[in-house]
Every structure is written in structure tokens, then in C-alpha cells.
């Protein structure tokens, strides 16, 4: 005990300062570390739940199936079976939550977005050149989007 | 000097010890109060990340370059408008024919991604007869097993979750941008509104509810295959992908261990 105080005063001050800083750090750490920190790893476990808490914007095919199962099954039998409803009809959550909210009307651009001929597109995809493929007519005059292999 | 054992000494020591013991519960209560105020969350529970392992795979030959995924991703995740803010985007690779007699296997490689492909692609400017081959490559976070982005984050805001995602905690992110530089695939950006780092979260808010990520949901060609490796159904698409494809990762020489695998990947794709 006596010895310590025989140390040069600047060293004593330094030791006291260090003890002070460490104490402040430990106290702050004790109070401010979130309870779920290091639950799964070196991060806040609650962050997972927080990120997961956001509301989805796209409703998903299953939600469409709840009311439109007839259409849903029809599409599943034809070539557009891999195309989900929201790929063409756009975001569906507002309509799924409240059926009175109308779903967007489809335009020509929706068809050619996938089917316009392009050398980059894979060969398996059916492609047309909209400049010389029955110009002036609507796609739906000849093709039913839900049953693309059928003639209307 | 030897200390004397007196009643006074004993009482002071005892009081000291008791006070010390009493601070513990007091500190605990104080801590709970402080945390309720500053650090607690009202996040819902019920999802156990240790029981899942999510993975996305890309079949390049199935991508038709419609860009619906890019559009859906921006809407789903509230990604700001603009040429440099994407959680997923599509690149168009065009490889020209080699010059006659040059002895090369291919000519030049052109890569473009007009606005990430969000409105689809305009017709290729390279004439068709000069193209050796051309294809679209969807890009997103590669879900690195040894993610450089998590390693450089100074505050632990970017992390690898037990269910295979790499996420950013917006409350911890200080917007230093180290992770944006560290990602060798260019998958991250600083959100100009929140000023925090952002990237593909595998639509964490959707997959934890049993929905597909938005890009997978809308992909008409089924170029994006998504699944839960810990809960495979008998005919699981992700299982089928690995059965029927020779899969490859992007930039394997970097040792980042990407978990997102590509089928039909050309050697020019980086
Ligand atoms: S691809 Fe980039 S953002 Fe994704 S885990 Fe790897 S380093 Fe991180
Ligand atoms: S939606 Fe699918 S097919 Fe279309 S660009 Fe995206 S990944 Fe490719």
C-alpha cells in the first residue's frame, strides 16, 4: 500500500486515469449492449426480426389462387405456367388485401418486353419482330395470354 | 503496521460488502430500464433462423432479359430510383466473332446494363451477323461464406445470419462505405436517403413468411431458383437445379466462397 504512493505522481495519475476510463467503458458496455447481441454471432440478434418485420409488397401466387383459382389452374396447364400472376399484372398486395383496389390493365409493352426478338435471348423462347408481325393488331386478337397455345 | 481488529472496522467492512451486493440488482433494474428506452425492439418473434438454410441459384440460359426482377426488387425493397442503386440487376454480354484468320476463339466482349435492365433491354447495337453469342446474366449478392463485406464492417452492422443470408442492420450501420469497397461483386450501395449500406437481403421479410423473394416470384423464365436446403421437399426446385446442372460460382479465385451458383456460365462473366 505504502509503496504505491512512493511511485512518481505522474504514473499514479496515469494509473488512476486508466482505471477511470476502463470503469466508464465497462459501465457503458454493461448498460448499452443489446440483450440479443451475440445471440447468433457478433451482431444484434434482434436485427433479424426487425428486417423480417417489413411488410411484403408482392402478394405471391398463393394469394391470387385464393379467389382466382379457376384462372390459376388454367394458366398452370399452358406454356405460361412458369409465369407468375404478378409478372404481368404487377404488384398485387393492395388488390389482395382489398379486392376493390383494381389491378393494373395490361398493355402491349407487357408482351414485347419478353417476346420481342433479340439475339441475346435464349433460343427456347418464342420471339417475334413486332415491326413486321401483324402490325396494327393487338396481341390478344390472336393470342390468349392465359392460354398462349390456344387460338381464340 | 498491523491493522487492529475492532468492532468499528468490522461494521465498515460489512456495510461495504452489503452495499456492493445491493448494487447488483439495482444495476440490473437500471439496465433493463435503460435498454427499454434505447435499445429494445418491438420485432415479432416466431421465426427460428437456425432451422433454415436459404439459397438462390441462377440458370443463365433461362434468363430472357425482361428485367421484371429488377423492377420487382426495387418496388419490394423500396430501392431508390437511379442508375446506381440496385439490389439485383441484369447484365447483357455480347461476344463478337473473331476476325477471320486471327486464330482467336472469340472477338471482343461487350457488357451493358442500361439502368440495370429495369425496363428491359433496347435492341443490341452490334449487328446480328457479328455476334458470336450473347446472353443475359442476372446479378445479386453472392451470399459469400467468407464475406469480405462482413469482415470489414467496423461496427458489426453487416453479418452472416445462421440461415445463409448476409444482412445489414440499418440501426448499426454508420454509412462508412467500407463494405461497398470490399464487395468484389459490386453488390452494395449507400442508400442516399437513409445513408446506410444496402444490398440484397434475399427478401428476408418475405422468406421468413413463407413467400418467395420478389425477383424469384416474378421471373417468367424461372432463371432464379430458390429453396431452403434444410427443408427440402421431394421435388424441390433447388435440388433439381443441382441434379441437372453443372454449377459454377463467380470469381472463385477470390476465396469469398459464393453460395449463389450459376448454371451455363460463360468464362467471360465476372
Ligand atoms: S457478394 Fe458482396 S455483399 Fe454479398 S456477401 Fe459477398 S461481399 Fe458481401
Ligand atoms: S425476371 Fe428472370 S428472366 Fe427476366 S430478367 Fe429477371 S432473371 Fe431474367
Amino acid at each position: 500500500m505504502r509503496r504505491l504512493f512512493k511511485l512518481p505522481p505522474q504514473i499514479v495519475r496515469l494509473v488512476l486515469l486508466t482505471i477511470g476510463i476502463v470503469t466508464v467503458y465497462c459501465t457503458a458496455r454493461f448498460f448499452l449492449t443489446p440483450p440479443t447481441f451475440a445471440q447468433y454471432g457478433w451482431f444484434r440478434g434482434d436485427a433479424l426480426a426487425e428486417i423480417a418485420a417489413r411488410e411484403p409488397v408482392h402478394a405471391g401466387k398463393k394469394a391470387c389462387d385464393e379467389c382466382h383459382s379457376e384462372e390459376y389452374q388454367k394458366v398452370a396447364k399452358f406454356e405460361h405456367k412458369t409465369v407468375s400472376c404478378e409478372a404481368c399484372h404487377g404488384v398485387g398486395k393492395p388488390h389482395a388485401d382489398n379486392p376493390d383496389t383494381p389491378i393494373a390493365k395490361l398493355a402491349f409493352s407487357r408482351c414485347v418486353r419478353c417476346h420481342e426478338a433479340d439475339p441475346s435471348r435464349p433460343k427456347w423462347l418464342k420471339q417475334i419482330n413486332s415491326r413486321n408481325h401483324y402490325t396494327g393488331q393487338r396481341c390478344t386478337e390472336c393470342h390468349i395470354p392465359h392460354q398462349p397455345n390456344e387460338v381464340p | 503496521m498491523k491493522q487492529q481488529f475492532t468492532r468499528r472496522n468490522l461494521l465498515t467492512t460489512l456495510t461495504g460488502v452489503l452495499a456492493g451486493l445491493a448494487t447488483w440488482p439495482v444495476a440490473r433494474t437500471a439496465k433493463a430500464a435503460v435498454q427499454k428506452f434505447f435499445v429494445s425492439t418491438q420485432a415479432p418473434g416466431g421465426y427460428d433462423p437456425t432451422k433454415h438454410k436459404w439459397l438462390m441459384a441462377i440458370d443463365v440460359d433461362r434468363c430472357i432479359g425482361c428485367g421484371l426482377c429488377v423492377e420487382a426488387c426495387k418496388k419490394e425493397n423500396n430501392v431508390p430510383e437511379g442508375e446506381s442503386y440496385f439490389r439485383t440487376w441484369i447484365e447483357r454480354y455480347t461476344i463478337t466473332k473473331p476476325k477471320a484468320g486471327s486464330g482467336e476463339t472469340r472477338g471482343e466482349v461487350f457488357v451493358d446494363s442500361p439502368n440495370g435492365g429495369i425496363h428491359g433491354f433496347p435492341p443490341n447495337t452490334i449487328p446480328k451477323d457479328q455476334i458470336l453469342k450473347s446472353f443475359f446474366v442476372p446479378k445479386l449478392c453472392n451470399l459469400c461464406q467468407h464475406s469480405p463485406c462482413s469482415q470489414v464492417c467496423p461496427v458489426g452492422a453487416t453479418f452472416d445470419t445462421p440461415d445463409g443470408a448476409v444482412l445489414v442492420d440499418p440501426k448499426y450501420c454508420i454509412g462508412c462505405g467500407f463494405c461497398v469497397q470490399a464487395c468484389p461483386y459490386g453488390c452494395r450501395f449507400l442508400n442516399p436517403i437513409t445513408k446506410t449500406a444496402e444490398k440484397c437481403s434475399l427478401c428476408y421479410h418475405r422468406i421468413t413468411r413463407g413467400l418467395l423473394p420478389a425477383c424469384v416470384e416474378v421471373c417468367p423464365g424461372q432463371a432464379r431458383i430458390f429453396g431452403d436446403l434444410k427443408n427440402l421437399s421431394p421435388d424441390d426446385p433447388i435440388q433439381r437445379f443441382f441434379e441437372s446442372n453443372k454449377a459454377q460460382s463467380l470469381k472463385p479465385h477470390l476465396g469469398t466462397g459464393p453460395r449463389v451458383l450459376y448454371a451455363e456460365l460463360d468464362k467471360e462473366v465476372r
Side-chain angles (χ1 to χ4, degrees), chain A residues 80 111-117 121 125-129:
Chain A
H80 274 167
C111 302
V112 290
R113 185 162 183 167
C114 295
H115 290 290
E116 185 72 63
R121 297 218 147 112
L125 180 75
K126 294 204 171 113
Q127 299 167 49
I128 53 114
N129 209 324

Side-chain angles (χ1 to χ4, degrees), chain B residues 24-98:
Chain B
W24 187 242
V26 172
R28 288 287 291 256
T29 340
K31 180 183 177 176
V34 170
Q35 296 209 326
K36 195 162 171 232
F37 213 68
F38 289 112
V39 283
S40 89
T41 59
Q42 274 89 42
Y47 169 78
D48 185 356
T50 57
K51 295 212 163 67
H52 302 267
K53 198 80 184 180
W54 306 105
L55 184 61
M56 195 186 293
I58 310 279
D59 189 344
V60 176
D61 188 47
R62 299 293 305 180
C63 180
I64 62 177
C66 57
L68 289 174
C69 48
V70 186
E71 197 184 325
C73 175
K74 278 222 180 189
K75 285 186 186 145
E76 182 71 44
N77 296 299
N78 209 357
V79 178
E81 298 276 318
E83 285 269 358
S84 41
Y85 308 123
F86 295 103
R87 288 180 169 211
T88 184
W89 69 100
I90 308 291
E91 287 170 4
R92 171 165 64 188
Y93 279 73
T94 311
I95 303 170
T96 58
K97 287 184 181 152

Side-chain angles (χ1 to χ4, degrees), chain B residues 192-246:
Chain B
I193 298 153
T194 60
K195 308 270 192 267
T196 57
E198 233 187 75
K199 64 177 274 297
C200 166
S201 63
L202 269 186
C203 276
Y204 205 69
H205 60 299
R206 296 178 61 83
I207 58 179
T208 49
R209 285 176 167 83
L211 297 165
L212 287 171
C215 59
V216 181
E217 173 72 36
V218 301
C219 179
Q222 297 198 324
R224 294 167 180 261
I225 297 107
F226 184 78
D228 181 356
L229 300 177
K230 282 198 185 166
N231 302 287
L232 286 172
S233 59
D235 196 27
D236 208 280
I238 197 100
Q239 175 101 336
R240 251 186 294 135
F241 175 87
F242 288 111
E243 277 167 10
S244 49
N245 287 301
K246 296 175 189 74

